[in-house]
Amino acid sequence: MIAPAAEEAGSPETAPDALSGFTIGVTATRRREEFCALLERRGARVVSAPAIRLVPLAEDTDLLAATRRSLEAPVDDVVVTTGVGFRGWMAAAEGWGLSAELSDHLTRARLLTRGPKARGAVRAAGLNDHWTPATESCEEVKQHLLAQDLRGRRIAVQLHGEPLTGFVAELREAGADVIEVPVYRWLPYRDTSPLRRLVTQSIAGGVDAVAFTSAPAVLAMLGAARADGLEDALLAAFGGRVVAACVGPVTAQPLVAKGVPVLQPERSRLGALARTLARHLPAHSVTRLVAGGHELEIRGHAVAVDGELKPLPPAPMAVLKRLADKPGHVVPRSELRTVLPGGSSRDSAEHAVEMAVTRLRRALGPAGIVETVVKRGYRLATHRGEGL
């Protein structure tokens, strides 16, 4: 796992253009516009591909059944995993005419809140929270409960979009009667085409990072890739040039389980995730070198020449990145053909390479950055080891 980015109190805000030249895929549904705005304000190009949607609470018969079961007898412990989920549960109960009875049961129970947002929702409902883990993790909540004698205790566990299978199983093995409360459930987004496009863009290197704000969104993207026979290729992309950024450890778990390195902030917040990406990508996903006497900073879809950012189309950018892989070395046309988007015949591919180099030179501006070596290929006008 990529080490969480430190966020010291009072640290200076990331430069407003820190993400200029980078493309970031966003899979969020809830608070999508807010998160996209956080990235765009830092200069990022955002590809929005909603992965999941919420089941409306008022229509959720499973939630109603779990609520009625919770009211059949006193509940000893209630695990509150999310603030939005707890508020939704209370609102749904009010719509069903069960609000007063549910509040009475919760008043008599110990409320274990997973984090400050869950704790805030409990207090806003006029209830008292019993305990909150320092790590904001379900694992710590589980260990806290298992350290006690759970035989015969009734425990309601508010789920957060997906089953907590292991969590619930261990409590039951310890003797507890566990009620799973599916406060909100995720289903695949109705239009899966944006997510499927994001999968192919990630594999092709068309995005520099994909940001996840929930574990169900991770699972949905992996599922979409699997349905198209692309899951292994997607995981390989996440293990290579594409950064998988997750808002917290719960979200990251499905990727960590598959051995994917994950970037995450120390605090599980959208703002913290945006700041972490704005620090990480310029530091780890930029190639800096000097060519033709000019300073180049190669980013995802743009290159800064002497500090001036110049967006590049996919073909010229692909050529530039391949040349930058071997600074100062000649890269033959046959090799450059392999990095161009799309397939074509040998003759047309030769022409496509020449056109991509022409467009690259025009976009870069100053002459002499890309050199032609007659009958051999092209190179950046630099020497191995010459850089910034």
Side-chain angles (χ1 to χ4, degrees), residues 37 123 132 187 192 201 230 261 291 295 325 358 386:
R123 293 178 180 178
T132 302
L187 294 177
T192 62
Q201 284 177 285
L230 298 173
E295 296 181 355
D325 285 341
T358 298
E386 181 184 27

Side-chain angles (χ1 to χ4, degrees), residues 42 69 100 116 124 131 140 154 170 176 206 212-213 228 240 250 258 261 282 294 296 344-345 353 357 377:
R42 291 169 169 83
R69 186 181 166 204
W131 178 80
E140 190 173 353
R154 295 187 85 225
E170 291 193 46
F212 298 99
T213 57
D228 289 338
V250 174
K258 291 183 176 292
H294 299 277
L296 304 187
S344 55
S345 66
V353 169
V357 171

Side-chain angles (χ1 to χ4, degrees), residues 6 19 54 59 82 84 114 128 178 186 190 196 231 248 251 269 338 354:
L19 291 174
L54 284 171
E59 302 172 12
T82 61
V84 65
R114 183 172 65 90
N128 296 319
V178 181
W186 302 102
R190 288 186 175 88
R196 294 173 67 186
E231 185 178 16
T251 299
R269 302 289 183 272
T338 66
E354 293 174 4

Side-chain angles (χ1 to χ4, degrees), residues 1-318:
M1 177 180 296
I2 300 173
E7 295 185 76
E8 298 178 5
S11 63
E13 183 63 18
T14 308
D17 60 349
L19 291 174
S20 294
F22 291 110
T23 303
I24 300 175
V26 171
T27 59
T29 302
R30 192 173 69 86
R31 301 178 67 187
R32 176 174 72 247
E33 293 181 0
E34 174 189 350
F35 185 48
C36 290
L38 288 172
L39 298 172
E40 289 170 344
R41 280 202 295 269
R42 291 169 169 83
R45 176 192 292 172
V46 174
V47 176
S48 181
I52 51 180
R53 60 186 173 88
L54 284 171
V55 177
L57 293 177
E59 302 172 12
D60 198 330
T61 56
D62 289 351
L63 174 59
L64 176 58
T67 302
R68 285 176 170 161
R69 186 181 166 204
S70 299
L71 298 177
E72 290 175 355
V75 176
D76 299 295
D77 302 283
V78 179
V79 177
V80 182
T81 58
T82 61
V84 65
F86 185 78
R87 289 192 297 272
W89 188 15
M90 299 301 290
E94 183 175 4
W96 297 324
L98 300 173
S99 178
E101 190 176 356
L102 180 59
S103 294
D104 181 63
H105 272 64
L106 296 179
T107 299
R108 301 169 189 273
R110 296 190 312 170
L111 302 185
L112 285 66
T113 56
R114 183 172 65 90
K117 289 188 177 181
R119 183 175 62 224
V122 166
R123 293 178 180 178
L127 301 168
N128 296 319
D129 53 287
H130 175 74
W131 178 80
T132 302
T135 60
E136 302 183 29
S137 71
C138 286
E139 178 64 25
E140 190 173 353
V141 175
K142 182 185 71 177
Q143 295 302 329
H144 179 79
L145 286 168
L146 292 175
Q148 307 165 44
D149 184 358
L150 299 183
R151 289 175 293 182
R153 294 187 71 83
R154 295 187 85 225
I155 303 176
V157 178
Q158 176 234 309
L159 307 180
H160 51 81
E162 61 176 351
L164 292 172
T165 307
F167 184 103
V168 169
E170 291 193 46
L171 296 186
R172 285 174 174 159
E173 288 173 6
D177 177 15
V178 181
I179 305 165
E180 298 177 76
V181 183
V183 175
Y184 54 95
R185 289 185 294 130
W186 302 102
L187 294 177
Y189 203 72
R190 288 186 175 88
D191 181 6
T192 62
S193 55
L195 185 62
R196 294 173 67 186
R197 282 196 298 270
L198 180 57
V199 169
T200 57
Q201 284 177 285
S202 300
I203 294 169
V207 298
D208 303 289
V210 177
F212 298 99
T213 57
S214 71
V218 175
L219 294 170
M221 187 170 187
L222 293 176
R226 189 180 311 116
D228 289 338
L230 298 173
E231 185 178 16
D232 288 344
L234 178 62
L235 293 174
F238 284 147
R241 288 190 174 184
V242 181
V243 175
C246 296
V247 73
V250 174
T251 299
Q253 197 280 327
L255 290 173
V256 172
K258 291 183 176 292
V260 172
V262 175
L263 176 72
Q264 58 181 292
E266 287 190 334
R267 299 176 67 250
S268 300
R269 302 289 183 272
L270 292 184
L273 180 58
R275 289 192 294 273
T276 297
L277 280 164
R279 292 187 180 104
H280 181 86
L281 288 178
H284 298 88
S285 300
V286 171
T287 300
R288 297 176 176 87
L289 49 83
V290 175
H294 299 277
E295 296 181 355
L296 304 187
E297 187 175 279
I298 303 170
R299 296 185 168 215
H301 64 263
V303 56
V305 181
D306 297 328
E308 182 183 352
L309 194 70
K310 301 172 181 287
L312 289 177
M317 177 55 79

